[in-house]
Amino acid sequence: MKALKKLNIIHYDSEFLSRNGFKYLVTDSGEFRLIGSFEDKAEFLKTINAEYPNVVVFDFTSKDSLTSADIEKIREARKSPGFLVISNNFKKETICEFMDCGVECFVTKACSKDEILLAIKAAAKGERFFCNKVLEFIIDKSFQKKEDCEPTKLTTREIEILKLSAEGLDAKEIADKLFLSLHTVYTHRKNIMKKLNLKSNSELIKYAYKNNIVST
Amino acid sequence: MKALKKLNIIHYDSEFLSRNGFKYLVTDSGEFRLIGSFEDKAEFLKTINAEYPNVVVFDFTSKDSLTSADIEKIREARKSPGFLVISNNFKKETICEFMDCGVECFVTKACSKDEILLAIKAAAKGERFFCNKVLEFIIDKSFQKKEDCEPTKLTTREIEILKLSAEGLDAKEIADKLFLSLHTVYTHRKNIMKKLNLKSNSELIKYAYKNNIVST
DNA sequence: TTTTTATTTAGACTAAATATAAATAATAGG
DNA sequence: CCTATTATTTATATTTAGTCTAAATAAAAA
């Protein structure tokens, strides 16, 4: 069937309000066909494989969110749809992760109707679209970093110790908790600070909060 | 029961998705009449004074959110409507502030349709309703506190030092910055910890972040 | 004025952290 | 399988940071 070819959109968000707000948005404009707005991930993924969406829209902070592995699977299965994240609470790491696996567009839920519509169309064409807030966020947060999106890599043990530090535990408590020598904790912390270019335990804790390594 | 009298609801949220999701929610159920779902605060407040809402629903993290002063003004003007906050990113202080000025119900945007409907009805009757997430939050966060919602009052100097600590400055740097003796800084910090019942500089920094004394 | 609260400081002492060095454990690459 | 690398662990000696006790000064409240 020729006629005017509407863009097929599929949506996944655990928030009721967002699902219905989105439903209203895309159906009202008349330019799109909404395949569905899903709360359940399994059902959502099944429908993607049955229908042929041009654009996949999702909130990556949903309860049982899409992972980058999910996205890659979708990409592999067919001609890749465009991906658009509509969310709040963007975290640097998460944005990077999804950018790396090919998600084109990111907007916040605070964005205007027009901006969201623009983002959908951009995603359909495989173009990038970041709303100002996301953009600001990326620029701001990637200030101190070098080239890539990843912060200097910490080992699992180092991250563990960083987290506990940010929880307010001192070196001794961490040592007790992890059954380590106090010296070990100091050494790890020293290495963390070296890798992240920090100069005190306070800065380390600050880093953990600013970079969402612990929840606020 | 006057079966025909629908509850009048008015809604204020800067997020497009939420406004439309909410619109759908309340109109679909047939139990309510939605006076309007507003993006603009002035317009919203004007409409409240013109119409007679039974329930006022709003997101207190909106761009130009309702203040507790606004709420009080609405309360004074007429028989008080019920108030329901639908939001994410609850902060302890904000919840307390709005509870103090008489807001009955709090739910998150992640709540189910049914829960939101329950909350609306509770607000209309002047009853309290907290969703589980908000409840958890309140219980968790008010653990270490005494009676009131306010954290133990710190002096201006103490807050100043708390902030600088959270920024990652050590005692010496704070002393230099404020032209104080190192001992003075230690004393202030000791007093802060005593007042807040904290036992280390790390916990102090954690406290600052958890309580939004510094921005994340 | 007297009392309380806030702010400031010091000396003696204690706990925490660093620098340096190095030994295992685990892992990746050939 | 062996080896180079990385991760994890620990210790000693030394330095630095922080606490305890005590108290002076200033400002604000009673």
Side-chain angles (χ1 to χ4, degrees):
Chain A
M1 319 287 152
K2 245 169 76 167
L4 20 137
K5 209 167 186 179
K6 287 186 181 181
L7 287 172
N8 285 310
I9 301 182
I10 191 161
H11 184 228
Y12 173 56
D13 193 314
S14 63
E15 287 185 9
F16 173 84
L17 289 178
S18 295
R19 282 201 306 282
N20 285 282
F22 188 78
K23 204 179 288 179
Y24 175 87
L25 169 70
V26 294
T27 52
D28 194 53
S29 81
E31 302 176 68
F32 312 105
R33 186 177 80 89
L34 184 62
I35 296 170
S37 194
F38 293 86
E39 185 179 9
D40 182 72
K41 184 171 162 182
E43 211 180 315
F44 166 72
L45 290 173
K46 212 178 74 185
T47 312
I48 286 193
N49 287 323
E51 309 257 348
Y52 290 79
N54 304 103
V55 184
V56 174
V57 183
F58 66 104
D59 179 351
F60 58 14
T61 57
S62 283
K63 245 178 296 172
D64 183 25
S65 173
L66 290 196
T67 63
S68 40
D70 290 324
I71 306 259
E72 270 153 22
K73 227 173 283 169
I74 296 169
R75 281 206 180 296
E76 283 162 18
R78 64 182 67 260
K79 179 183 172 306
S80 172
F83 289 90
L84 165 63
V85 167
I86 305 187
S87 184
N88 285 322
N89 303 324
F90 288 96
K91 292 181 188 177
K92 182 177 53 182
E93 286 82 1
T94 324
I95 294 182
C96 291
E97 185 191 335
F98 282 97
M99 275 175 67
D100 285 347
C101 74
V103 172
E104 293 91 353
C105 305
F106 295 81
V107 298
T108 70
K109 289 190 179 176
C111 285
S112 71
K113 179 178 175 172
D114 292 335
E115 218 164 6
I116 296 175
L117 290 172
L118 278 173
I120 296 174
K121 289 172 200 166
K125 284 187 274 187
E127 293 167 3
R128 287 204 173 288
F129 186 98
F130 302 103
C131 75
N132 279 338
K133 274 202 188 109
V134 172
L135 217 48
E136 258 174 48
F137 192 93
I138 293 172
I139 293 166
D140 183 30
K141 293 290 175 172
S142 47
F143 230 98
Q144 63 256 53
K145 293 183 294 93
K146 305 289 127 63
E147 282 295 75
D148 58 343
C149 228
E150 281 305 286
T152 321
K153 268 251 165 71
L154 300 180
T155 67
T156 47
R157 199 56 154 177
E158 286 165 350
I159 289 169
E160 200 174 6
I161 282 165
L162 175 56
K163 275 186 183 166
L164 292 173
S165 295
E167 290 298 339
L169 277 67
D170 62 26
K172 188 172 178 313
E173 291 170 320
I174 296 172
D176 289 348
K177 185 156 196 146
L178 302 179
F179 304 104
L180 291 176
S181 151
L182 192 51
H183 296 287
T184 310
V185 177
Y186 286 139
T187 304
H188 282 306
R189 216 164 53 181
K190 190 191 64 183
N191 291 335
I192 295 168
M193 293 198 285
K194 194 173 182 181
K195 283 185 182 175
L196 301 179
N197 205 31
L198 307 171
K199 61 173 230 310
S200 67
N201 192 39
S202 320
E203 288 198 343
L204 191 143
I205 299 176
K206 176 187 167 188
Y207 177 91
Y209 280 98
K210 294 260 180 195
N211 292 81
N212 294 298
I213 286 162
V214 284
S215 56
T216 314
Chain B
M1 284 270 163
K2 318 152 210 176
L4 289 174
K5 206 165 186 180
K6 287 185 182 181
L7 287 173
N8 285 310
I9 301 180
I10 191 162
H11 183 229
Y12 173 56
D13 193 315
S14 64
E15 287 184 10
F16 173 84
L17 289 177
S18 295
R19 282 201 306 282
N20 285 284
F22 188 79
K23 204 178 289 179
Y24 176 88
L25 168 71
V26 295
T27 52
D28 195 53
S29 81
E31 301 177 70
F32 312 105
R33 184 178 82 89
L34 183 63
I35 296 171
S37 194
F38 293 87
E39 186 180 7
D40 182 73
K41 185 171 160 183
E43 212 180 314
F44 168 72
L45 291 173
K46 212 177 74 185
T47 313
I48 287 193
N49 286 323
E51 309 258 347
Y52 291 79
N54 303 104
V55 184
V56 174
V57 183
F58 65 104
D59 179 351
F60 59 15
T61 58
S62 283
K63 244 178 296 171
D64 182 25
S65 173
L66 289 196
T67 63
S68 40
D70 290 325
I71 306 258
E72 270 152 23
K73 226 172 285 170
I74 296 169
R75 280 206 179 295
E76 283 163 18
R78 63 183 67 263
K79 179 183 172 305
S80 173
F83 289 90
L84 164 63
V85 168
I86 305 187
S87 184
N88 285 324
N89 303 321
F90 289 97
K91 294 180 189 177
K92 182 176 55 182
E93 284 83 1
T94 323
I95 294 181
C96 292
E97 185 190 335
F98 282 97
M99 276 176 67
D100 285 348
C101 72
V103 172
E104 292 92 354
C105 305
F106 296 81
V107 298
T108 71
K109 291 191 178 176
C111 286
S112 71
K113 180 178 174 170
D114 292 336
E115 217 162 5
I116 295 175
L117 290 172
L118 277 173
I120 295 174
K121 288 172 199 163
K125 283 187 274 187
E127 291 168 2
R128 288 203 172 285
F129 186 96
F130 302 102
C131 76
N132 279 337
K133 278 210 183 98
V134 174
L135 216 50
E136 259 175 47
F137 193 92
I138 293 172
I139 293 165
D140 183 29
K141 294 291 173 168
S142 49
F143 230 98
Q144 62 255 55
K145 292 184 297 94
K146 305 289 127 65
E147 282 295 76
D148 59 344
C149 229
E150 280 307 286
T152 320
K153 269 252 165 73
L154 300 179
T155 67
T156 47
R157 198 57 153 177
E158 285 165 351
I159 289 170
E160 199 174 6
I161 281 164
L162 175 56
K163 275 186 183 167
L164 292 173
S165 295
E167 289 297 340
L169 277 66
D170 64 24
K172 189 172 176 314
E173 290 170 321
I174 295 173
D176 288 348
K177 186 155 194 145
L178 302 179
F179 304 105
L180 292 175
S181 152
L182 191 52
H183 291 287
T184 310
V185 177
Y186 285 141
T187 304
H188 282 306
R189 217 165 54 182
K190 189 192 64 186
N191 292 334
I192 295 168
M193 294 198 285
K194 195 174 184 179
K195 283 185 182 174
L196 302 178
N197 207 29
L198 307 171
K199 58 173 235 310
S200 67
N201 193 37
S202 319
E203 287 197 343
L204 191 143
I205 299 177
K206 176 186 169 189
Y207 176 91
Y209 279 99
K210 294 258 180 200
N211 292 78
N212 295 295
I213 286 163
V214 284
S215 57
T216 314

